[in-house]
């Protein structure tokens, strides 16, 4: 688990929730106080991390250390729709972090779709770049470009 209590208010809440008022004057990270770190370690080792994570007094200051698999289903990731499922492939991908205003303030205002198949846009891209159809056909025949589209 991880502990983030780097402000006086959160540090005070942490010390009071743990019953270690003797550490109220310490500022871990600023003072880099080894005895205070040892005291915190001693207290946290008295119970399993699941107990500390469930403690309402520590809410906001104590959190889990997630592995990659845990992150995809983390309640905050789900609630913020940070990972989205593509409609055709079902692949889970990171959502665009830029969110334009929407009625709920959550929805992304840009389209969400699977990427095109490899070569699906080759003809259009090469045509837009000024290649003639005969030249594109020669490039396809020579396996210089992959084109699955028409």
């Amino acid at each position: 688990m991880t502990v983030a209590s780097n402000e006086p208010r959160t540090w005070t809440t942490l010390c009071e929730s743990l019953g270690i008022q003797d550490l109220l004057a310490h500022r871990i990270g600023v003072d880099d106080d080894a005895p205070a770190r040892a005291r915190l370690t001693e207290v946290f080792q008295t119970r399993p991390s699941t107990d500390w994570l469930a403690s309402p007094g520590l809410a906001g200051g104590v959190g889990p250390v997630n592995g990659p698999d845990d992150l995809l289903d983390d309640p905050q990731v789900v609630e913020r729709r940070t990972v989205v499922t593509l409609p055709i492939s079902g692949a889970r991908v990171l959502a665009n972090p830029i969110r334009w205003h929407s009625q709920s303030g959550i929805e992304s205002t840009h389209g969400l779709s699977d990427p095109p198949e490899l070569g699906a846009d080759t003809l259009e891209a090469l045509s837009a770049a000024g290649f003639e159809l005969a030249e594109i056909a020669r490039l396809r025949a020579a396996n210089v470009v992959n084109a699955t589209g028409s």
Side-chain angles (χ1 to χ4, degrees):
M1 73 183 195
T2 181
V3 178
S5 295
N6 56 346
E7 299 173 350
R9 177 182 52 85
T10 56
W11 178 252
T12 299
T13 300
L14 176 72
C15 290
E16 289 173 353
S17 296
L18 296 176
I20 51 174
Q21 286 80 356
D22 55 301
L23 290 184
L24 283 171
H26 295 275
R27 298 244 354 243
I28 300 300
V30 175
D31 298 334
D32 200 18
D33 188 333
R37 287 181 188 276
R39 178 85 165 99
L40 283 170
T41 300
E42 174 187 312
V43 171
F44 278 119
Q45 288 178 340
T46 63
R47 295 177 19 207
S49 62
T50 52
D51 288 357
W52 296 116
L53 294 172
S55 173
L58 298 174
V62 176
V65 176
N66 290 317
D69 292 340
D70 301 322
L71 291 175
L72 294 176
D73 297 317
D74 180 89
Q76 185 172 1
V77 169
V78 172
E79 179 66 27
R80 294 181 52 82
R81 298 184 186 155
T82 303
V83 175
V84 294
T85 303
L86 296 178
I88 297 171
S89 66
R92 294 175 77 188
V93 298
L94 290 175
N96 187 333
I98 300 170
R99 309 285 173 95
W100 302 108
H101 176 72
S102 66
Q103 205 165 24
S104 73
I106 297 284
E107 288 96 16
S108 177
T109 56
H110 61 283
L112 180 65
S113 63
D114 286 270
E117 294 290 325
L118 179 64
D121 298 327
T122 301
L123 178 62
E124 292 81 10
L126 291 176
S127 294
F131 286 84
E132 300 291 329
L133 290 177
E135 190 173 4
I136 294 171
R138 283 193 300 277
L139 292 171
R140 279 186 183 170
N143 288 323
V144 173
V145 296
N146 182 352
T148 58
S150 53

